[in-house]
Amino acid sequence: MTGNEIYRANISEVGRMTARRFNVSGKMLFTWLLLGGLILLFSPESITDKLQLGFAGIFRWPLTAGRSIAPLTATNSEPLTNNVSRQEYDRLQNHLDNVIEQLYQERQKVESLSNLKKVKGIDNRFALEGASLVPAGIINSNMNNLTNELIINRGSDNGLEIGQFAMANNSIIGKISAVSEKIARVKLVTDPASSIPVLISLNSGKHIEAILKGTGSNKAKIDLVPAKNKVETANKIYAAKQPGVLDIPIKIGEIKQCRRLDENPLLWNITVKTACNFENIRDVAIIIMNPKP
Amino acid sequence: MRWFRFAALILVITILQTALINSMPINPNLLVILMVFFAIFSDSKDAIITSFSIGLAADLIGPGMGTLTLSFGLTGSLLAYLNRTIAIKKMTHQAVTIFIVTIAIAFIAHFLIMIKSQITAENIYTSVIAPAVYSGIIGPFVFLPVAWWMKIKHHSFSGH
């Protein structure tokens, strides 16, 4: 017996031993895999997020390439009107609404300052003056009835943190929900797990506070608004100020439909149309209010 | 089972599904089609392993880890068990099976997400039907190149 034959015989013997050792029944195999699935299901999101972001990070190139091909196959291209695309029109409209809202906020500040002239140390910076906007490209999007998320190509290396707001077309689209060094996930305002404090700008000029909740499939709603408030279709919705995260309200969308709740007619059931069409966006910007030097 | 070929196939299909097909107006679920294929044309143990593996791949691009691993694993294992007594050979039977399995997976995943994070999605019924129909129609035709790649004998066109 040559050395080569002895080697082959040893290898095949090891193979047979391994096969005997791992020769489990179908039921046992199923039980083990089921147990593995359950462990995965109830693992903390901080661990499982890393797996998903890791996959997106490793395969970012084919995923981005696929996204750039996708518009060619999609049928929801938007018509041009008056030589300005709908997307550009929406972007400018959102900017105008944000400026109007900022004007309103500045007026409020002037009124409060006129009443508090003697108070020193009042912060009189302009909105977003100290903020930095980090542009990011979209690696992948996940839009269905269970989840509405974007994977972007910026991470903690670029100063991103969980809870920061993401903008597109001059409107708020969501918040950072998970972050790794080079990749982050944006949970859109329409995600069923999303819940964001907002302001509803009424036609009377009054602002009322509410909570915007995502319902999946590019939709969001607002509940628990008392019916005594005169809420109407096309009223603007703004993300409410959050100290250290968002210093000025920025537009999210507008009311598409409002009707009384069936269970309680004293409350509104409001459906919100987002200011930005999430399926068409290619780039986003993350708002970092107080960037580290 | 040729596991390296299987791994390469799942990787390509997962990327294709998330990067291209999910954003198309006609969006069949290729991972469900693959799971049904392996549940029908593999032996029971391989079918169980492939079902959970494809579920894990779906989780990497899905709403949260674990939900699709379990729903694919449970459905695929059940299908492999049923396939021992009810042979699913005709294309029409395969199409109907894919349609039912797609809906079953969506409902199990939705149920698991409700348990995990107390989230309930609206309009689940309408959003599930369209991909299930597309998957059912396209599925039996996808079986042919998959069978060729995996070198598995496939007689769906013979009608036996």
Side-chain angles (χ1 to χ4, degrees), chain A residues 21-79:
Chain A
R21 184 176 292 176
F22 292 104
N23 189 17
V24 292
S25 68
K27 282 179 187 171
M28 189 54 79
L29 187 68
F30 175 76
T31 309
W32 279 111
L33 289 172
L34 192 67
L35 197 62
L38 285 168
I39 291 168
L40 208 55
L41 181 68
F42 293 109
S43 296
E45 278 192 13
S46 56
I47 296 168
T48 55
D49 281 346
K50 282 180 185 170
L51 284 172
Q52 289 182 316
L53 291 178
F55 177 81
I58 291 166
F59 298 104
R60 64 197 297 178
W61 181 81
L63 291 173
T64 313
R67 263 189 78 77
S68 59
I69 297 167
L72 303 174
T73 58
T75 56
N76 59 346
S77 58
E78 296 183 356

Side-chain angles (χ1 to χ4, degrees), chain A residues 128 131-133 164-165 167 172 245-246 250 285-289:
Chain A
L128 297 176
S132 107
L133 294 176
Q164 289 168 340
F165 280 94
M167 282 178 78
I172 293 289
V245 186
L246 193 67
I250 296 180
I286 310 302
I287 305 171
I288 303 177
M289 285 313 300

